Amino acid sequence: MTQSHPGISKAVIPAAGLGTRFLPATKATPKEMLPVVDKPAIQYVVEEAVDAGLHDVLMITGRNKRPLEDHFDRNYELEEALDRKGDRERLDRIRASNDLATMHYVRQGDPRGLGHAVLCAAPHVGDQPFAVLLGDDLIDPRDPLLSRMVEVRETLGGSVVALMEVDPAQVHLYGCAAVEPTGESDVVRVTDLVEKPDPADAPSNYAVIGRYVLDPAIFGILRKTEPGRGGEIQLTDALHKLAVDDGSGGPVHGVVFKGRRYDTGDRGDYLRAIVRLACEREDLGPEFRSWLRRYVTEEMQTP
């Protein structure tokens, strides 16, 4: 018989990072507000949570992150100006961000790592399972990863991480999982997790990407987790304890993702994400693809 587990309604989005890889653009602008075509990266992430049925969103912020709150709030002056012009299309687009979800905000204070950021969500989340979405990973809405992870959690309990096979030479950039097969082709049992291992010591080439569905037992573990790699409290270290311990909190499973993922945390990948998404837009794609072909052809002919 299929076991039933409590449903999930809350999403946590850590957004307190300094964005140093994008300086000087992020000196006064949060990295999450950098545009990906014509929407800030953070809006894609909130839309993904909502599409998975999670309408209660807590954002973990820090100093200089006020624009994140402003983006998801009303801008009456702008709305009135567009209304007077009869610009219904743009008015609808800016109002869409106002009504996406019920938004909450809490400041992390000291940047002590992802594990500490997640722990800041404990008073809001309470004893409910919840999702964590990292803003650097944009998942194409045609490949509903998060809803699949929620489904796995509701069936199997415990916590669920998103896994993606990467080149073994790249595992040092990610948390890395040791896994065992299950009866489903896209679901594995996670038996160990290591944060950014040396390639020679990595248990596999399954990398943890920025989506998690977590059992509330994670909070008790995070409170006892000592700083790890980089002197920060690592969420991977806490999940390792859940994965190797058969006690409360349940098992850790992984959903193996083979869909479209856009990494906006790296400058080169950020640019590639913009090009890919612009090419696929119905309103921009045809003209942009035509220009891109001409540009690439001309560049390849240039000595």
Side-chain angles (χ1 to χ4, degrees):
M1 176 181 289
T2 300
Q3 189 175 0
S4 178
H5 298 274
I8 301 172
S9 63
K10 295 183 178 182
V12 175
I13 303 177
L18 298 176
T20 53
R21 287 181 289 181
F22 281 85
L23 287 170
T26 50
K27 179 181 178 182
T29 301
K31 66 173 183 175
E32 296 85 4
M33 290 300 297
L34 294 179
V36 180
V37 188
D38 55 3
K39 285 192 298 190
I42 193 67
Q43 184 169 333
Y44 289 88
V45 179
V46 174
E47 289 173 347
E48 181 187 349
V50 171
D51 287 344
L54 313 182
H55 295 270
D56 184 322
V57 176
L58 173 67
M59 204 167 290
I60 311 298
T61 68
R63 289 180 292 275
N64 302 322
K65 298 286 186 169
R66 180 61 183 271
L68 294 171
E69 299 184 33
D70 291 341
H71 179 71
F72 293 101
D73 199 359
R74 299 288 300 274
N75 185 325
Y76 293 101
E77 294 83 358
L78 178 57
E79 290 182 29
E80 289 177 3
L82 293 172
D83 192 33
R84 286 195 301 270
K85 291 181 179 179
D87 194 340
R88 176 57 56 180
E89 179 184 353
R90 288 186 174 86
L91 182 59
D92 290 344
R93 288 169 65 186
I94 67 164
R95 282 180 172 170
S97 63
N98 306 339
D99 303 323
L100 271 175
T102 302
M103 302 295 298
H104 309 270
Y105 304 90
V106 65
R107 285 196 175 190
Q108 182 178 7
D110 295 330
R112 297 170 56 194
L114 177 58
H116 180 259
V118 171
L119 188 55
C120 291
H124 180 79
V125 170
D127 60 356
Q128 301 178 44
F130 63 104
V132 174
L133 299 86
L134 304 190
D136 289 346
D137 283 334
L138 303 188
I139 305 298
D140 195 294
R142 293 167 294 184
D143 301 311
L145 170 62
L146 186 59
S147 59
R148 175 59 174 151
M149 295 174 67
V150 169
E151 180 182 85
V152 171
R153 153 69 202 195
E154 291 179 344
T155 303
L156 301 176
S159 296
V160 185
V161 299
L163 300 176
M164 198 167 191
E165 289 189 84
V166 300
D167 187 299
Q170 300 297 310
V171 294
H172 69 285
L173 301 173
Y174 300 89
C176 185
V179 302
E180 296 176 347
T182 68
E184 300 188 63
S185 61
D186 65 333
V187 180
V188 293
R189 173 74 180 264
V190 176
T191 59
D192 196 8
L193 283 160
V194 183
E195 177 67 14
K196 297 181 179 178
D198 291 332
D201 300 325
S204 74
N205 67 328
Y206 282 106
V208 180
I209 59 176
R211 297 294 181 270
Y212 309 81
V213 175
L214 301 177
D215 188 273
I218 197 73
F219 293 130
I221 296 174
L222 283 169
R223 292 187 184 100
K224 300 175 183 178
T225 299
E226 296 293 328
R229 182 175 285 273
E232 298 181 334
I233 298 174
Q234 299 291 347
L235 180 59
T236 303
D237 293 343
L239 284 166
H240 159 79
K241 290 182 173 62
L242 280 180
V244 301
D245 186 359
D246 291 330
S248 63
V252 178
H253 287 91
V255 170
V256 180
F257 183 61
K258 297 182 179 180
R260 287 156 285 201
R261 166 181 174 252
Y262 311 108
D263 183 357
T264 61
D266 172 83
R267 289 174 298 174
D269 285 339
Y270 170 76
L271 294 174
R272 284 185 280 272
I274 293 174
V275 171
R276 290 173 64 184
L277 287 169
C279 284
E280 295 174 1
R281 286 267 295 262
E282 291 183 2
D283 57 338
L284 298 173
E287 182 178 350
F288 184 68
R289 289 193 300 269
S290 178
W291 172 84
L292 190 60
R293 290 189 192 99
R294 293 195 305 271
Y295 175 75
V296 171
T297 299
E298 291 169 2
E299 284 295 299
M300 292 182 67
Q301 291 176 347
T302 302

